[in-house]
Amino acid sequence: MRRRSALIAVTAALFAGGAGLGTAQASSPTAVGAAPSACRPANHTAKITASPAHSGHRHYRVTLTAAPGYAPCRLAGSPADARFHHHGSPRGVTAGRYGSQRAAVTFGPGRPVHFDIRVPGRPGGVRADEATFTLRTPDGVIPGESSARGPLVVGAGTVIGPVRPGA
């Protein structure tokens, strides 16, 4: 019975780790039995924190971290398809991009990355508590949607900066 349980556990682990095979392979090749990529949405966490305002803008930092056991991967540019929500309701704000979209960074356990959400400091805006987005690699996008939680205010003119190394 123990042998069967061990076989089931190994099979489940292979399915969980191998589910992303064929996705973003150029940036994070995966072999059967290898650790799953930290870039897959289910394999990292993200948090939004307020940063100091300057140049007439509010800034929020989104920090991504991966737990030990995941394989490092490469990210590049600003996340795509960013959407904002408040208590699960869409806020109707579309974000653009700013900054260089070419620089690649390594992300994985012990190597957090971050990006900036920049919002014009004019009056108005809407409260949000979650951002969803698609991470990009030097060769395309990571399938699936990542999310980050934390309080922020967004509005017209919101833009997202490129992923950079560090928390």
Side-chain angles (χ1 to χ4, degrees):
M1 187 64 170
R2 283 187 180 179
R3 199 168 176 188
R4 183 171 182 227
S5 296
L7 180 60
I8 290 170
V10 168
T11 302
L14 285 175
F15 275 114
L21 291 176
T23 58
Q25 286 185 357
S27 298
S28 55
T30 308
V32 174
S37 171
C39 285
R40 293 183 59 220
N43 300 341
H44 59 261
T45 59
K47 182 179 180 180
I48 302 169
T49 55
S51 294
H54 63 84
S55 302
H57 294 90
R58 290 183 295 259
H59 292 268
Y60 302 93
R61 179 175 278 209
V62 179
T63 303
L64 284 74
T65 56
Y70 293 108
C73 53
R74 303 282 288 163
L75 296 172
S78 301
D81 303 322
R83 291 181 296 285
F84 303 96
H85 311 271
H86 188 64
H87 299 299
S89 297
R91 300 313 279 169
V93 173
T94 302
R97 296 182 195 158
Y98 77 89
S100 171
Q101 301 298 305
R102 295 179 189 243
V105 298
T106 299
F107 170 58
R111 296 181 95 167
V113 296
H114 72 274
F115 61 88
D116 181 54
I117 299 174
R118 185 173 74 189
V119 183
R122 58 184 163 253
V126 294
R127 292 189 182 279
D129 58 11
E130 180 182 22
T132 58
F133 47 90
T134 303
L135 294 172
R136 297 175 50 222
T137 72
D139 303 317
V141 298
I142 302 291
E145 188 174 76
S146 294
S147 67
R149 297 194 60 80
L152 70 158
V153 174
V154 293
T158 297
V159 290
I160 298 183
V163 174
R164 296 193 167 137

